[in-house]
Amino acid sequence: EADIYQTPRYLVIGTGKKITLECSQTMGHDKMYWYQQDPGMELHLIHYSYGVNSTEKGDLSSESTVSRIRTEHFPLTLESARPSHTSQYLCASSPGLAGGQETQYFGPGTRLLVL
Amino acid sequence: QQQVKQSPQSLIVQKGGISIINCAYENTAFDYFPWYQQFPGKGPALLIAIRPDVSEKKEGRFTISFNKSAKQFSLHIMDSQPGDSATYFCAASLGGATNKLIFGTGTLLAVQP
C-alpha cells in the first residue's frame, strides 16, 4: 500500500473561508498530482508538480493554488471557498519514468462541503 | 482526442460470473493504460496496467485485453466476487515528463451473492 496521506479527510466550512488541504508522501516521489472528483464521477486533474518549486495547472480549471516547497509535501489552498468547490479532492504521487514506472498512487481523499 | 470513453456506466453481475468493462480512446500517442479500482470513501488503487505492445495481460482473476487497431481495451474479472463490488476506472497516459492520466467516466460494479 502506498504511503500517501491527506488531511483532513472531511471538511465542512462556510463560504468565504480560506482552506488548505494537506497532502504528503513518504516515498520520495518527484511527481505529485491533485484531482477533483464528484461522487461516482471521473477524476479531473487540477494541478501537478514535477518536483520541488515546479507546479502546473491541470486540464480542469480550478480556483485553487498549490505549492511544492518540499518533495514530500503538496498542499492545495482555496483562498475563498464557495459552494461550487464542494467535491472530493484526491492527491496522488508517482515515481515517473525515472523511477521505473508510471503508476500513480492515490491518497484517501478529502471530502469538502462548502455551505 | 484526449478523451477515454468507458462503458457501461453500471454493471450487475452474479457471483461467479464474468464482469467486462470496455474503454476506447482516440489518441494513438497514449502508451500506458492502467485500470484503477475505487471503493467508497477511498482513493483509487491500481489494479492492473498494460502497454500497447501487448495484447493481453493477466493477473489472477483480472485480465486486460488490448486491441491496438480498434483503439479499445477492456477489463475482464473472472469468477466475480461480492468483494469486487467497486467503481472501476480505465485511464490512459501519454507518459513523458508529466505522466498525466486521462480517466474514463467509471463503471460501478455490483456483484450479487
Side-chain angles (χ1 to χ4, degrees), chain B residues 25-97:
Chain B
Y25 63 97
E26 287 296 325
N27 191 341
T28 55
F30 287 139
D31 65 355
Y32 174 69
F33 301 88
W35 284 90
Y36 280 83
Q37 179 188 56
Q38 185 178 27
F39 292 105
K42 304 283 188 182
L46 179 70
L47 194 60
I48 186 172
I50 198 168
R51 295 194 182 276
D53 54 348
V54 176
S55 61
E56 185 176 282
K57 183 174 182 180
K58 184 176 182 180
E59 289 183 2
R61 296 185 294 109
F62 301 92
T63 300
I64 299 179
S65 296
F66 190 86
N67 186 330
K68 190 174 181 178
S69 60
K71 292 184 283 187
Q72 295 175 347
F73 59 109
S74 60
L75 176 69
H76 296 237
I77 306 174
M78 312 300 287
D79 187 26
S80 298
Q81 299 297 312
D84 296 330
S85 297
T87 300
Y88 292 81
F89 292 93
C90 63
S93 171
L94 289 167

Side-chain angles (χ1 to χ4, degrees), chain A residues 13-19 78-83 85 112 114:
Chain A
I13 202 162
T15 296
K17 299 292 186 183
K18 178 180 179 178
I19 60 171
L78 274 166
E79 290 293 332
S80 179
R82 295 207 301 269
H85 296 140
L112 173 65
V114 184

Side-chain angles (χ1 to χ4, degrees), chain A:
Chain A
E1 192 162 317
D3 296 324
I4 182 163
Y5 308 98
Q6 291 185 244
T7 57
R9 292 293 313 279
Y10 304 93
L11 180 61
V12 181
I13 202 162
T15 296
K17 299 292 186 183
K18 178 180 179 178
I19 60 171
T20 297
L21 307 184
E22 301 288 349
C23 175
S24 61
Q25 49 98 3
T26 59
M27 298 170 285
H29 290 168
D30 285 330
K31 300 180 195 295
M32 295 190 74
Y33 311 83
W34 275 103
Y35 291 87
Q36 186 174 339
Q37 182 187 32
D38 291 327
M41 304 295 286
E42 66 203 281
L43 287 76
H44 293 285
L45 181 68
I46 52 175
H47 297 284
Y48 62 98
S49 168
Y50 297 103
V52 171
N53 293 326
S54 102
T55 60
E56 301 285 345
K57 289 193 176 294
D59 302 320
L60 180 68
S61 176
S62 174
E63 293 167 348
S64 58
T65 59
V66 293
S67 62
R68 189 89 183 275
I69 298 173
R70 303 197 315 264
T71 297
E72 63 272 21
H73 196 214
F74 191 39
L76 180 145
T77 298
L78 274 166
E79 290 293 332
S80 179
R82 295 207 301 269
S84 60
H85 296 140
T86 294
S87 189
Q88 174 165 255
Y89 293 84
L90 290 160
C91 180
S93 72
S94 170
L97 289 176
Q101 61 165 316
E102 298 168 345
T103 302
Q104 289 188 21
Y105 298 92
F106 283 82
T110 293
R111 195 174 292 275
L112 173 65
L113 173 61
V114 184
L115 302 175

